[in-house]
Amino acid sequence: MASNLNYLDPSLKPLEEKIQAYLDAEKELQRAVAEQASLSHPAPQPDATSGPAAAAAAHSGTAPSSDGIFEQRPPTGSYDQAADENQERLQNLHDDIHLLRREIIDMLPVRDEWIKVNLGYGPSRVGAFQETTTEGGTAPSYQLRVVF
């Protein structure tokens, strides 16, 4: 029974914290990707040819935009920064995840085996498994796998 509790070893605490940071970063990346998709594909808007916006446009002599709201030109020299900021955020998250993945793989005591860790759900497993065979003396690449 004592061998089943080796995942509670205090020496694994730094590895567990790094894995938790990695999982949190992956969740944040998923949220950012969903936000990017919602920004690039906005929800359909009602037609501007009927309703209060169309009546106001007919009365004022100006035409509303397709979403029923009167269009206003942006100030000279301004542009939509949301897309650029979101793209930069996605790139930063990708970089953070890549760095965390590399650090976790370096912290693992063995390769191509599962290590039991405590991620708060009972015994979870983490491992680095070789993706391809090495040819010509190149360093092997490892894939990080986390099961909880």
Side-chain angles (χ1 to χ4, degrees):
M1 171 116 170
S3 65
N4 289 334
L5 297 178
N6 60 355
Y7 72 97
L8 297 173
D9 184 7
S11 67
L12 294 175
K13 192 69 174 165
L15 178 62
E16 294 166 1
E17 291 171 356
K18 191 69 73 171
I19 293 169
Q20 194 61 47
Y22 171 78
L23 294 173
D24 292 342
E26 282 205 335
K27 286 179 188 177
E28 185 64 28
L29 177 65
Q30 289 175 351
R31 285 188 208 111
V33 167
E35 184 179 324
Q36 175 77 15
S38 69
L39 287 175
S40 63
H41 296 44
Q45 299 293 326
D47 187 17
T49 59
S50 62
H59 181 65
S60 68
T62 60
S65 64
S66 62
D67 61 0
I69 300 172
F70 291 98
E71 218 171 293
Q72 185 176 12
R73 292 184 184 173
T76 304
S78 68
Y79 61 95
D80 182 24
Q81 294 180 355
D84 290 342
E85 289 173 354
N86 200 22
Q87 186 64 28
E88 184 177 333
R89 181 175 168 223
L90 284 173
Q91 185 60 44
N92 289 341
L93 286 170
H94 277 292
D95 294 343
D96 291 346
I97 287 173
H98 182 71
L99 178 65
L100 286 168
R101 185 180 297 136
R102 183 82 252 144
E103 289 174 355
I104 290 170
I105 290 172
D106 290 342
M107 291 174 78
L108 291 172
V110 293
R111 303 286 189 271
D112 297 319
E113 288 184 28
W114 291 108
I115 303 296
K116 287 184 183 179
V117 292
N118 182 14
L119 297 179
Y121 311 106
S124 300
R125 290 178 169 72
V126 63
F129 296 90
Q130 189 170 351
E131 289 184 324
T132 59
T133 59
T134 60
E135 295 178 15
T138 60
S141 61
Y142 287 93
Q143 178 183 22
L144 179 66
R145 296 182 186 168
V146 180
V147 178
F148 54 95

